[in-house]
Amino acid sequence: MEAAGEAEVRVLLQEARESIEAARSYRRELQQRLRGLHQAREQIKDSATLTRDVLEQHFSDLKGTLKKLLDERLTSLLQEVDVIEQESIKPLDECQKLIEHGVSTADDLLREGESAVDGDVGQQNEKLCNFTKKALHIQLDSLPEVPSLVDVPCLSAQLDDCLLTILKNQIFRHGTVASRPPVQLEEFVEKPGGILVRWCKVDDDFTAQDYRLQCRKSTAGHFEDVYVGSETEFIVLHIDPNVDYQFRVCARGDGRQEWSPWSVPQTGRTTLVPHEWTTGLEGYSLSSRRNIALRNDSQSCGVLYSKAPTYFCGQTLTFRIETVGQPDRRDSLGVCVEQRNGDDSLQRDKAVCISTNGAVFVNGKEMTNQLPAVTSGSTVTFDMEVVQLGPCSNEGGNFKLRVTISSNNREVVFDWVLDQCCGSLYFGCSFSYPGWKVLVF
């Protein structure tokens, strides 16, 4: 009985411990959800505050701009009134001067005529004769023409009251407040020296015409555009390893000019060091980041390798042809187990590659399957996964990689058998003629 009691106690203790652990786990989950609620509340409050600030600033700027435009239009109309007034008054002033001169002349003539009529008899004949000659000379029947009221301007202002109605309707429709953006960031995929960013629509009623992706380093500085287009993913290059970057995306509706609200900013990073070409090979010029190689005019010919074996199975290695030169059958883009000086192409053993004419080579042998020829703007990708055929050790073994090479929407898949384990691989290129420029990422 005593043993049975102890067993029962042990069972109860075990059940109690399990219940305690379940309670702890339950509490942790609840606390995590509380943190999620707190973050959600903070997001609502912060976004509401920001939206208020944006609205107030926008309408303040709008009012200032409208007042400025109205003031400018008023000034222009007042100047137009001044010009019409001045141009219309000028001939009237000239006519007035002419009439006033005529009145003055008539007054003088009247005084002279009255003096001649009322003068002494002895001098009357002479004065009357002079007055008559003067009166004939002045042409008393010639009068200046004065325009009638219908012939002179009568200024008025034509103001269309419908402008207020139009403005009222436009203002009442101007601006909207969205509770959530129609597009959100979906996934970040690490790339060597870059991040593949994917996004998706979350509003089924929204038809997107273009997307706009922005990025900034950590939380400092301003967001900058890194992509605008119709695709829903983009590889952002020139990313420093082990550094946080913030991303956000918005969309433009079909037939619209304005952009939608921004998505919730999210943080992404890559731990993969960027691919770099090795320096010092005479026939190639490199960019400052050493991820772009240009075949120069040097007569030196050889294979340009990567600085280190930075390509790992499970990743996608991408070559993008920026410019092209004259093709040659010995040209090559590909990966290899080791660097080997003295070769003029990757069309050799322990390497797989594609030539600029689209031919695919495995360990120096050309495959029957062929890809399209490489042209300016072409993208060539290499994907590999490990298929181990037997024991593999540091001393070597039977090792197989399944390789997929894609170019211009076509691909070839084959198995590449090696006599040694390869944790990482070099990449390389070779071009016989100048003008070829290739970006690797």
Side-chain angles (χ1 to χ4, degrees), residues 57-128:
Q57 183 63 48
H58 174 76
F59 277 86
S60 175
D61 294 342
L62 194 60
K63 285 191 289 186
T65 302
L66 283 174
K67 184 179 183 306
K68 180 181 178 182
L69 292 174
L70 289 172
D71 288 343
E72 290 176 352
R73 181 56 180 162
L74 174 60
T75 300
S76 174
L77 290 172
L78 292 176
Q79 289 175 348
E80 190 174 344
V81 171
D82 293 341
V83 170
I84 295 175
E85 181 185 27
Q86 292 170 6
E87 291 179 349
S88 302
I89 290 295
K90 184 177 180 181
L92 298 182
D93 289 341
E94 293 174 352
C95 183
Q96 181 177 342
K97 290 179 181 178
L98 183 61
I99 292 174
E100 289 174 348
H101 177 71
V103 170
S104 176
T105 302
D107 288 341
D108 293 341
L109 188 63
L110 280 173
R111 286 193 295 271
E112 186 175 345
E114 291 172 350
S115 175
V117 171
D118 298 334
D120 296 334
V121 176
Q123 298 178 350
Q124 190 173 22
N125 289 337
E126 183 180 355
K127 287 184 176 181
L128 289 173

Side-chain angles (χ1 to χ4, degrees), residues 6 63 141 152 228 267 358 383 386 403 422 428:
E6 291 178 356
K63 285 191 289 186
D141 58 346
V152 296
V228 175
T267 301
D383 290 274
V386 177
V403 181
C422 295

Side-chain angles (χ1 to χ4, degrees), residues 160-186:
D160 193 349
D161 291 337
C162 71
L163 175 62
L164 294 177
T165 304
I166 295 173
L167 285 175
K168 181 179 178 181
N169 292 335
Q170 290 292 331
I171 289 173
F172 282 169
R173 292 198 301 266
H174 181 67
T176 58
V177 176
S179 60
R180 52 178 56 85
V183 60
Q184 291 286 5
L185 295 168
E186 184 178 32

